[in-house]
Amino acid sequence: MAQKVKLSTIADALGLSTATVSLALRDSPLVADVTRERIKDAARELGYIYNRRAASLRTSRSGIVGVCVHDVMNPFYGEILKSIETELDRQRQTFILCNHHDDLSKQRSFVDTLLQLGADGLIMSPALGTPAADIRLAEDNDLPVILIARTIDGAGVHGFRGDDAYGMGLAVDHLVSLGHRSIAMIGGTHATSTGREREAGYLAGLERGGIAFQPRWRIEGPRDRHSGFDSAATFLAMPDRPTAIVCFSDLVALGLMYGLARGGVRPGIDVAVVGYDDIDEAEIATPPLTTVSNGQSEVGECSARALIDRLQGTTASEQTTLIQPELKVRRSCGAGA
Amino acid sequence: MAQKVKLSTIADALGLSTATVSLALRDSPLVADVTRERIKDAARELGYIYNRRAASLRTSRSGIVGVCVHDVMNPFYGEILKSIETELDRQRQTFILCNHHDDLSKQRSFVDTLLQLGADGLIMSPALGTPAADIRLAEDNDLPVILIARTIDGAGVHGFRGDDAYGMGLAVDHLVSLGHRSIAMIGGTHATSTGREREAGYLAGLERGGIAFQPRWRIEGPRDRHSGFDSAATFLAMPDRPTAIVCFSDLVALGLMYGLARGGVRPGIDVAVVGYDDIDEAEIATPPLTTVSNGQSEVGECSARALIDRLQGTTASEQTTLIQPELKVRRSCGAGA
């Protein structure tokens, strides 16, 4: 259906010649940037596939699966990607990666590439603000989509992620059981489902422990090692410093621990620190990092299998599968061995 | 020329039917694995491009550049990839990534994908043991190749890497100037040009310092954080332990420092540690890591520009451009601020 959109449909909709539309879709420098973007937007809305010869290739399987995440270098994705790769290898699928850096236009250009190339499917952790319509565009053009780590309301495709609210609750419950009554949370934003869920788990954990949340305990923002390091200064400057900290991710926690050490405060001795994700580095860190294993490899494996099922003709599930997280107690919270 | 190879050429060469060859090249399960691999090998040797319809797309630019490295999650590649991405973004090229994990067949399948898709070019850090012929196959089929970080003798294409021998020499010279007379080197292998060059720089540095190399000072192998951590036990068990260590990479050094701390030995106080690469984490580590900045972002930028020049019609250079490294003195060697 969407495939019947022609160059002339787009040209008519915008009052331009088909030649201009054709040049713009091929990124010709003869078309002004503003016009090109307008044409591409219209093409996207209308569900046009740029290259019809490439589209015709799609009658047979290409053996290519695209994977798009915020940043492949983040070890959180790393463990997911590794298990996706293992599953796809088994199916002789070539696996191509793309970073979107939360830039919708980068993500769209990768999806367009996959459509042009007749890729078999797409596994993605969608960029912030991805509309459900972007997922529908891919699906309507025979590119099955599976979501990982982040989900999108109304996308109507299968998603896999850790049960972040539950997992962060485990971390807070553990700190409360060790006697902590003032617990900060560092990192994450409301812009991602992961950020919202982990914060919700933190607040629920405080409530279960009968602890009144203090807004100054919440340092929002940090999502990588370097910003975790920088947040140590903010934490150390707090009046009535909390005795424990839960972090949005292990990277934030590992950076924070470097920062605390630099400030002369010993993690695991002077302050309890808990991470989230259980990346490979957590258990070798100084001190070994207490964290929540959120089943990244399970997310990767399940998402790749779900995609393979789709390729074999199974109908799309619309559910989000939550993977159950698990607390890993180590020395950074002052309790581990 | 290579484009004139037909299915029948391959079939004749192997004494098989063209139908079998065609099925095998499309990865049909009807063809036995062994046969499929034999057919694919022959097709590769003969320079056949699998999909002729896809090949026909290649008369115009696709706007796609492939980048293939050992592992995109290694922060060493991360900084190179970031600057490649920035350059290619500017040229509106879509950038797709693939890990080869030093597996030649994975690398070949990515190159095949790029050929089938009519990609504009390939920037790669070749898998161990990549024959020059693999690079020629891509070049002969209009896929320009630029090499990064590792080079291949006789490949006849432009390569960019840091001057690793010189850089490791800077690290050793500095340790000698601090009075060290026994210096270990941990990590890296002879299988990569990087490993060979960095070791050569270490040996040359010892010689310049008038220090006789002791084979027990050389712990080969570690190339990531976890194996760096594990090597601490080996180092700590050495009789007449060296007073200083140069590491193959920052990841090895950062893992080693975790391991030394775990063993009760303080890096920067009880033993001098120097890394290599100057990844983002080096300056925030505990203690901050003395290291050699090998100009990864320059490698990335130059390689992307060289590829863009090729796309604009410049002939391939056959040289390897060496980027000059720089020593960054921090606290882990006992000398920094």
Side-chain angles (χ1 to χ4, degrees):
Chain A
M1 192 176 60
Q3 317 245 7
K4 287 187 190 139
V5 176
K6 292 179 183 155
L7 286 181
S8 58
T9 320
I10 303 166
D12 290 346
L14 298 172
L16 296 168
S17 74
T18 50
T20 304
V21 172
S22 166
L23 287 168
L25 294 180
R26 282 181 286 133
D27 279 316
S28 161
L30 299 172
V31 181
D33 284 5
V34 178
T35 313
R36 178 170 45 226
E37 287 315 311
R38 207 152 60 89
I39 290 170
K40 288 196 162 183
D41 285 349
R44 185 187 315 281
E45 276 164 31
L46 294 165
Y48 180 77
I49 296 174
Y50 295 177
N51 194 314
R52 293 184 164 272
R53 281 182 297 165
S56 79
L57 289 173
R58 293 173 38 225
T59 50
S60 59
R61 296 258 301 271
S62 63
I64 296 161
V65 170
V67 177
C68 190
V69 301
H70 177 268
D71 182 356
V72 297
M73 287 188 301
N74 183 322
F76 164 73
Y77 290 115
E79 312 209 356
I80 296 179
L81 296 177
K82 209 189 297 172
S83 57
I84 292 178
E85 200 170 16
T86 307
E87 268 318 292
L88 294 180
D89 266 1
R90 223 170 265 159
Q91 304 287 327
R92 302 176 158 276
Q93 293 274 346
T94 297
F95 157 90
I96 61 179
L97 294 167
C98 185
N99 296 328
H100 56 58
H101 296 300
D102 282 325
D103 174 340
L104 269 180
S105 73
K106 280 198 164 204
Q107 176 174 287
R108 283 173 177 160
S109 123
F110 185 58
V111 172
D112 288 350
T113 302
L114 294 175
L115 288 173
Q116 285 182 56
L117 305 179
D120 294 341
L122 168 61
I123 299 175
M124 74 192 301
S125 177
L128 299 184
T130 300
D134 279 25
I135 308 298
R136 296 314 321 164
L137 174 73
E139 283 275 342
D140 290 346
N141 287 291
D142 296 327
L143 183 72
V145 178
I146 305 287
L147 301 180
I148 50 174
R150 298 175 181 174
T151 48
I152 298 173
D153 291 339
V157 296
H158 203 158
F160 295 87
R161 61 177 181 82
D163 187 345
D164 291 312
Y166 175 81
M168 191 56 93
L170 292 177
V172 174
D173 291 349
H174 179 69
L175 290 169
V176 169
S177 78
L178 295 175
H180 293 281
R181 305 296 299 165
S182 59
I183 303 170
M185 176 176 177
I186 298 184
T189 78
H190 278 209
T192 67
S193 55
T194 317
R196 290 188 299 268
E197 291 289 315
R198 293 184 184 177
E199 187 185 83
Y202 160 68
L203 295 172
L206 290 183
E207 201 175 328
R208 270 195 304 278
I211 298 168
F213 167 68
Q214 308 292 326
R216 65 193 169 78
W217 291 351
R218 181 75 184 98
I219 303 178
E220 267 184 69
R223 287 199 290 160
D224 59 21
R225 193 190 298 264
H226 217 113
S227 49
F229 174 82
D230 292 338
S231 71
T234 313
F235 175 80
L236 292 173
M238 277 188 198
D240 301 319
R241 221 151 68 193
T243 58
I245 309 166
V246 292
C247 294
F248 170 70
S249 69
D250 283 353
L251 282 187
V252 169
L254 292 162
L256 173 72
M257 294 204 300
Y258 279 149
L260 293 172
R262 185 83 60 105
V265 168
R266 295 162 299 172
I269 297 170
D270 302 322
V271 62
V273 175
V274 180
Y276 203 107
D277 291 337
D278 196 23
I279 64 172
D280 186 55
E281 185 180 341
E283 63 169 340
I284 63 173
T286 307
L289 181 63
T290 295
T291 183
V292 178
S293 163
N294 62 3
Q296 294 96 315
S297 65
E298 212 175 332
V299 166
E301 200 179 309
C302 293
S303 64
R305 289 209 181 138
L307 181 62
I308 291 159
D309 285 349
R310 289 286 308 277
L311 300 186
Q312 288 165 352
T314 314
T315 358
S317 156
E318 304 198 2
Q319 76 188 97
T320 294
T321 302
L322 291 181
I323 311 288
Q324 186 89 331
E326 199 184 326
L327 184 72
K328 302 276 184 181
V329 177
R330 302 195 181 105
R331 288 220 315 271
S332 70
C333 65
Chain B
M1 195 176 57
Q3 319 244 4
K4 285 186 193 142
V5 176
K6 292 179 182 155
L7 285 181
S8 57
T9 321
I10 304 166
D12 289 347
L14 297 172
L16 294 167
S17 73
T18 49
T20 304
V21 172
S22 165
L23 287 169
L25 294 179
R26 282 182 284 134
D27 280 315
S28 162
L30 298 173
V31 182
D33 285 4
V34 179
T35 313
R36 177 172 46 225
E37 288 316 309
R38 207 152 60 89
I39 290 170
K40 288 195 163 182
D41 285 349
R44 185 188 316 282
E45 276 163 31
L46 294 165
Y48 179 77
I49 296 174
Y50 296 177
N51 194 315
R52 294 183 164 275
R53 279 183 297 165
S56 78
L57 290 174
R58 292 171 39 224
T59 49
S60 59
R61 296 258 301 272
S62 63
I64 295 162
V65 169
V67 177
C68 191
V69 301
H70 177 269
D71 182 356
V72 296
M73 286 189 300
N74 183 320
F76 164 73
Y77 290 114
E79 311 208 357
I80 295 179
L81 296 178
K82 208 190 297 173
S83 58
I84 292 179
E85 199 171 16
T86 307
E87 269 317 292
L88 294 180
D89 265 1
R90 223 170 265 160
Q91 303 288 326
R92 302 178 158 273
Q93 293 274 345
T94 296
F95 157 89
I96 62 179
L97 296 166
C98 186
N99 296 326
H100 56 58
H101 295 299
D102 282 327
D103 173 342
L104 269 180
S105 73
K106 279 197 166 205
Q107 177 174 286
R108 283 174 178 158
S109 122
F110 185 59
V111 173
D112 288 350
T113 302
L114 295 174
L115 288 173
Q116 286 183 54
L117 304 180
D120 294 342
L122 168 61
I123 298 175
M124 73 193 301
S125 176
L128 299 184
T130 301
D134 279 26
I135 309 297
R136 296 316 319 164
L137 173 73
E139 284 274 343
D140 289 346
N141 286 291
D142 296 328
L143 182 72
V145 178
I146 305 288
L147 301 180
I148 50 173
R150 300 174 179 173
T151 48
I152 298 172
D153 290 341
V157 296
H158 204 157
F160 296 87
R161 60 178 181 80
D163 188 345
D164 291 313
Y166 174 81
M168 191 56 92
L170 292 178
V172 174
D173 291 349
H174 180 69
L175 291 169
V176 169
S177 78
L178 295 176
H180 294 281
R181 305 296 298 164
S182 59
I183 302 170
M185 176 174 175
I186 298 184
T189 79
H190 278 209
T192 66
S193 55
T194 317
R196 291 189 298 271
E197 291 288 315
R198 291 185 185 177
E199 187 184 84
Y202 161 69
L203 295 172
L206 291 182
E207 201 176 329
R208 270 194 306 277
I211 298 169
F213 166 67
Q214 308 293 325
R216 63 191 169 80
W217 292 350
R218 180 74 183 100
I219 303 178
E220 268 183 66
R223 287 199 288 160
D224 60 22
R225 193 190 298 263
H226 218 113
S227 49
F229 174 81
D230 292 338
S231 71
T234 313
F235 175 80
L236 292 173
M238 277 188 198
D240 301 320
R241 222 152 65 193
T243 58
I245 309 166
V246 291
C247 294
F248 169 70
S249 68
D250 284 352
L251 282 187
V252 170
L254 292 163
L256 172 73
M257 293 205 300
Y258 280 150
L260 293 172
R262 185 83 60 107
V265 167
R266 294 163 300 172
I269 297 170
D270 303 321
V271 63
V273 176
V274 181
Y276 203 106
D277 291 337
D278 196 23
I279 63 173
D280 185 55
E281 185 181 341
E283 65 169 339
I284 63 172
T286 308
L289 182 63
T290 295
T291 185
V292 179
S293 163
N294 62 3
Q296 293 97 313
S297 65
E298 212 173 332
V299 166
E301 197 179 311
C302 292
S303 63
R305 288 207 182 139
L307 181 62
I308 291 159
D309 285 349
R310 288 286 308 278
L311 300 186
Q312 289 165 352
T314 313
T315 358
S317 156
E318 304 197 2
Q319 76 188 95
T320 294
T321 302
L322 291 181
I323 310 289
Q324 186 91 331
E326 199 185 325
L327 184 71
K328 301 277 182 178
V329 177
R330 302 195 180 106
R331 289 219 316 271
S332 69
C333 66

